Amino acid sequence: IYVNNVASDISAFRSVTGFVPQDDIVHEDLTVAEQIEFSARLRNKAGTSHASINAITQDVLNAMQIDHVQNSIVGSVEQRGISGGQRKRVNIGLELAAQPTVLFLDEPTSGLDSTASLAIVASLKRLTSLGMTSIMVVHQPRFSVFTLFDDVLLLGKGGSTVYLGSSEGAKHYFEACGFECPPNENAADWFMDVIAGEVRNVRLPHFKPAMLVGMWREHESDVVARGHTLCEDFGRELDEAEERALLAGRLRDEWQSIDVNSNGTVEAMELKMLLQKCSKVNASDEVVTDLMERMAGRGAMRVTKDQFLDFMYSLSGDLARHAAAEAEGHHMNPVQETNAFSIDEEGPESSMESNIKPADSKLSSRRLQNVSTVPLDPHAALRRETPSAVVQYRILLLRALIQWWRLNRQRALFLGALVFGAIVLAILDGTILDLAVHDIYCLNNLHTSFAILFSIFCLQVFGTNRPGFWRESSSGMSITAYFLSKVSVNAFDILLQAYLFSAVYLLIRQPKMPFWLFFLPFVLTAFAASGWGFFISTIVPPRHGPFMVSLVVFICCALLGNPASLRTFLDGGFTEVLVGIFSISRWGVEMNHDTCRETFDIPPSSVFGHSDYFAAGHWYSAAISLLLIGLALRAAAFLGLKFMHRDKQV
């Protein structure tokens, strides 16, 4: 490809390009505003001030018309959050927060109704006044959306070009080629029918769709001669009816956020809140009372939804006429749009202004074309130094902490299962089987059960929202910073769950020994077992993760660490090395047994043999071994995160 007339690799400009995938890949446990803010902090120029980040966040929320739900959790299928249309806008807003020079969008209007599609395309069109180029793939847009595009590329079968030019010139081109568009037909659908060969050509009785490629090559120079070339014609602006439809959709969203009981009416206090959300102004009680009487009549105590919408429609019309008259009086261009944006070039940093200024995208684009500069480096403006890995780690750590806290409900369910398991094992060992707390079979069952449960829990650290990770890593996020932030937050779960499991078990068994000596081996078992959860979640699909990690940990602990087999395995040969590397319970049981041996003055077990490999004592050698297993598995998980599924990290 050519960038500024120089052959280039698009991957070299990923810091200033954005890609919006067709699927709405967002963080389901963050609020709308948090999504946009973290994206802005990660992808804007290093050293961008917090004030600028906040301004960018608010501008994106306003541009995508999601500021009224900025404090709402996005949610998922299981946990209801924002609507599908709002989710689509958040998906786009994540890329707008990076202030890209070029924005690619894959079917951004799929799954949306016609009004929502129009709103999204209109918002993107207004943002072109900032110098951002939007390139999108769309299927079967309505003609009013189609004509908002400045230029369109229509592809025939096999991906060959059948038209490239202005959106408003496409219909004229195909009619000139001998195709007739029926009255009241959606021209955008008609184009697709022509390309598919469903429309008869009045000049060519034996027309085939493959002929469209030759037609374009034959008439391309004629299209250029008529002026239908890229950057010469610009898509139309929104008309009054479309602006009214967009306003209606926005007002309905605001109404629904206030009318929570869905009774179709609001009282004075609710109307005051509604006006504050719509206008960002806190109206006095007298103003609210006056507006209620204007909407619903003298002495009205309630306002219906239709009365509110009709009044706001009339108000928008009055404001439009007032703005037009004021523009004429001051010799301003009457086509200026109050919803467009302009760049504040006087500030220390380039960002979308919070104080929105009028700017006509069509005039601004033409003005930019007339600027003649000869830069020394044609790509100088397309390079951006994003935050370092250390800075990204701090940002991602904060985000991970927020997400960790919001998962408390799911964590509570898992902790309940963990406590239940500890109670069952304590009753089984102490009452039914009557085993001593230092019995190696008893300890092996404890460590095996805890390792399996905790490794399953840790699958969600890297197993959930993998598409979100692929999207962010493709946009320049540091994989190292992401990995370390997730692992750091997981340390809370290691301590919490190891403490809860060992505390409940000891509380029931009541052995006379210090708690921390019994607790520490379970912390190290959790550290090693979590490594298996991390690693397996990076290499297998999430649906297979629980089965795979349960199988692996069961083999490593219940089979390789079985006290009945250890005497055979620990023969100084290959099997001893294998058990030492992979078996978690083999080391955890030895730590607990060594502590109990000193506490209860019992003879050492012959099961473990001469395992003081680090000449630091059996307890410390076992602790070091568990630490090394956990670190090795974390290194393997990092490599899996970095190198697996490279095709999806585009």
Side-chain angles (χ1 to χ4, degrees), residues 253-462:
D253 288 341
E254 301 287 6
W255 176 276
Q256 291 173 0
S257 67
I258 297 297
D259 186 20
V260 292
N261 56 5
S262 301
N263 63 357
T265 63
V266 294
E267 298 178 349
M269 185 57 66
E270 293 174 315
L271 180 61
K272 184 176 182 179
M273 296 170 58
L274 185 59
L275 293 172
Q276 197 278 330
K277 289 176 68 68
C278 293
S279 64
K280 310 301 181 185
V281 175
N282 190 12
S284 64
D285 293 338
E286 292 78 8
V287 171
V288 172
T289 301
D290 180 62
L291 289 176
M292 287 191 71
E293 292 183 349
R294 293 190 184 189
M295 295 179 189
R298 183 173 299 277
M301 302 299 293
R302 289 178 175 271
V303 173
T304 66
K305 181 178 180 179
D306 290 338
Q307 291 170 340
F308 172 76
L309 293 178
D310 290 341
F311 178 80
M312 297 301 289
Y313 291 157
S314 63
L315 185 62
S316 66
D318 292 340
L319 289 176
R321 289 188 292 272
H322 175 73
E326 187 180 56
E328 183 178 357
H330 290 81
H331 304 287
M332 295 175 62
N333 191 335
V335 301
Q336 287 182 322
E337 297 177 337
T338 58
N339 287 329
F341 299 91
S342 66
I343 299 178
D344 179 15
E345 298 180 351
E346 299 179 357
E349 296 161 353
S350 177
S351 68
M352 289 184 284
E353 279 232 68
S354 291
N355 297 323
I356 300 173
K357 301 177 181 179
D360 178 35
S361 60
K362 185 179 295 186
L363 296 178
S364 299
S365 301
R366 289 201 177 105
R367 192 180 303 117
L368 289 172
Q369 294 175 32
N370 295 328
V371 177
S372 177
T373 59
V374 185
L376 296 177
D377 182 358
H379 295 161
L382 299 178
R383 296 192 181 98
R384 178 188 296 169
E385 183 181 352
T386 53
S388 65
V390 175
V391 176
Q392 287 192 37
Y393 169 73
R394 294 201 299 265
I395 297 171
L396 292 170
L397 181 63
L398 175 60
R399 188 178 76 179
L401 285 170
I402 295 173
Q403 293 173 312
W404 182 87
W405 182 256
R406 298 229 170 101
L407 289 175
N408 278 337
R409 178 175 298 179
Q410 294 90 321
R411 184 175 293 103
L413 294 175
F414 187 85
L415 291 177
L418 196 70
V419 168
F420 177 75
I423 293 173
V424 171
L425 288 171
I427 295 174
L428 182 67
D429 294 340
T431 304
I432 300 176
L433 300 178
D434 195 22
L435 297 175
V437 74
H438 54 75
D439 184 88
I440 56 176
Y441 290 94
C442 169
L443 292 172
N444 188 68
N445 290 338
L446 278 176
H447 283 273
T448 298
S449 302
F450 180 63
I452 291 176
L453 288 173
F454 192 68
S455 61
I456 293 174
F457 175 82
C458 290
L459 288 171
Q460 50 86 27
V461 175
F462 297 114

Side-chain angles (χ1 to χ4, degrees), residues 556 560 566 568-584 586-587 610-611 613 625 629:
C556 292
L560 295 181
L566 281 180
T568 304
F569 292 152
L570 303 182
D571 59 356
F574 172 74
T575 55
E576 182 169 352
V577 175
L578 185 68
V579 171
I581 293 176
F582 290 101
S583 181
I584 298 174
R586 178 256 184 279
W587 299 112
H610 302 285
S611 57
Y613 300 113
S625 298
I629 291 173

Side-chain angles (χ1 to χ4, degrees), residues 185-262:
E185 177 78 7
N186 181 3
D189 290 336
W190 180 68
F191 297 150
M192 298 299 101
D193 292 338
V194 170
I195 294 172
E198 301 295 331
V199 178
R200 185 177 65 89
N201 190 298
V202 296
R203 299 178 186 173
L204 301 173
H206 303 290
F207 166 76
K208 300 294 182 184
M211 297 179 181
L212 291 172
V213 179
M215 290 181 183
W216 170 249
R217 292 172 180 170
E218 180 182 350
H219 295 91
E220 182 177 7
S221 58
D222 297 335
V223 175
V224 173
R226 286 198 303 269
H228 298 300
T229 57
L230 300 178
C231 300
E232 290 294 331
D233 280 349
F234 291 84
R236 65 178 183 84
E237 304 299 327
L238 292 175
D239 58 31
E240 182 178 351
E242 291 167 335
E243 291 282 10
R244 184 182 177 93
L246 295 182
L247 175 62
R250 183 69 185 277
L251 291 175
R252 289 192 185 95
D253 288 341
E254 301 287 6
W255 176 276
Q256 291 173 0
S257 67
I258 297 297
D259 186 20
V260 292
N261 56 5
S262 301

